[in-house]
């Protein structure tokens, strides 16, 4: 959550204070923004995914669906399906678009302005979208622990009901088996 706000603040500050000629500020942005994003993406992504899986398992348990397949695999698969190809294709699409718009000549002020905006505006827009979509998730350690405890209680209740159901089924089978053995 704070990563998105940091990215928004950083991109918005650069957009308001720098120009395409502000080499030092651009270098700082190119150093700070990827470092923050990569660090959180590599470490925090898996933590967030585990919390989301826990939340979905609890929702499934409340609905009485205990035998659902692994949600972690689903999340990782969707991430690999959409994010990884986009990371590879987007630079090619951007370069092709710039070439189509004939923005390839060096030293041209308009080209430098466009490239500066391409450097700053996408992180700003995507961080805003991410912040808006993720702000409803407020999983803190206390909430996560409470969710784990609730899930544990739900699963224990399910096991008890399942064990009672098995006992009833066995006793019903035993009675029906005894009924078929009448001489």
């Amino acid at each position: 959550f704070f990563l998105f706000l940091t990215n928004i603040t950083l991109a918005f500050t650069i957009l308001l204070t720098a120009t395409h000629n502000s080499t030092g500020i651009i270098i700082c942005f190119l150093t700070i923004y990827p470092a923050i994003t990569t660090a959180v993406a590599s470490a925090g992504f898996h933590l967030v995914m585990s919390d989301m899986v826990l939340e979905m398992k609890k929702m499934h348990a409340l609905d009485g669906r205990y035998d659902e397949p692994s949600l972690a695999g689903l999340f990782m698969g969707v991430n690999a399906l959409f994010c990884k190809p986009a990371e590879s294709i987007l630079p090619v699409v951007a370069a092709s678009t710039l070439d189509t718009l004939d923005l390839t000549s060096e030293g041209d002020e308009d080209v430098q302005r466009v490239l500066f905006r391409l450097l700053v505006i996408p992180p700003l827009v995507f961080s805003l979208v991410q912040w808006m979509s993720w702000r409803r998730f407020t999983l803190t350690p206390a909430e996560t622990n409470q969710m784990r405890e609730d899930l544990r209680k739900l699963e224990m209740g399910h096991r008890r009901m399942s064990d009672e159901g098995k006992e009833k089924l066995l006793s019903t089978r035993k009675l029906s088996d005894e009924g078929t053995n009448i001489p």
Side-chain angles (χ1 to χ4, degrees):
F1 181 75
F2 292 109
L3 168 71
F4 305 135
L5 293 177
T6 302
N7 288 345
I8 291 167
T9 304
L10 183 61
F12 195 67
T13 302
I14 297 294
L15 191 62
L16 291 178
T17 61
T19 66
H20 60 281
N21 293 323
S22 305
T23 307
I25 295 173
I26 292 172
I27 289 172
C28 286
F29 178 77
L30 288 173
T31 304
I32 295 170
Y33 178 76
I36 292 171
T37 305
T38 304
V40 171
S42 63
F45 176 73
H46 302 291
L47 296 173
V48 171
M49 295 294 270
S50 67
D51 288 345
M52 287 174 52
V53 167
L54 179 64
E55 185 177 10
M56 289 187 78
K57 282 177 91 171
K58 182 182 174 189
M59 289 171 35
H60 286 208
L62 288 171
D63 291 342
R65 302 181 307 177
Y66 294 93
D67 297 328
E68 294 290 322
S70 172
L71 296 169
L74 174 69
F75 281 126
M76 294 300 204
V78 169
N79 178 56
L81 180 64
F82 292 108
C83 296
K84 301 299 180 185
E87 288 174 1
S88 300
I89 293 172
L90 285 178
V92 174
V93 171
S96 175
T97 304
L98 290 174
D99 187 46
T100 303
L101 296 173
D102 199 30
L103 294 175
T104 56
S105 60
E106 300 218 4
D108 188 7
E109 287 287 316
D110 291 335
V111 172
Q112 290 178 0
R113 277 192 200 94
V114 168
L115 292 175
F116 175 74
R117 289 184 182 135
L118 280 174
L119 177 70
V120 177
I121 292 175
L124 178 63
V125 170
F126 289 120
S127 292
L128 280 168
V129 169
Q130 288 172 329
W131 174 70
M132 290 173 61
S133 58
W134 281 89
R135 67 182 175 176
R136 69 181 187 98
F137 294 103
T138 56
L139 292 178
T140 61
E143 289 178 33
T144 303
N145 289 336
Q146 181 62 46
M147 206 175 316
R148 282 190 180 110
E149 185 61 32
D150 293 346
L151 184 60
R152 195 172 305 125
K153 287 177 184 176
L154 287 167
E155 287 175 345
M156 285 175 51
H158 173 69
R159 279 190 210 116
R160 261 189 255 119
M161 288 189 328
S162 179
D163 290 344
E164 289 171 5
K166 286 178 186 175
E167 287 175 15
K168 285 181 184 178
L169 182 62
L170 288 173
S171 65
T172 305
R173 283 186 183 162
K174 187 176 179 181
L175 288 175
S176 69
D177 288 345
E178 289 176 2
T180 57
N181 291 337
I182 299 175

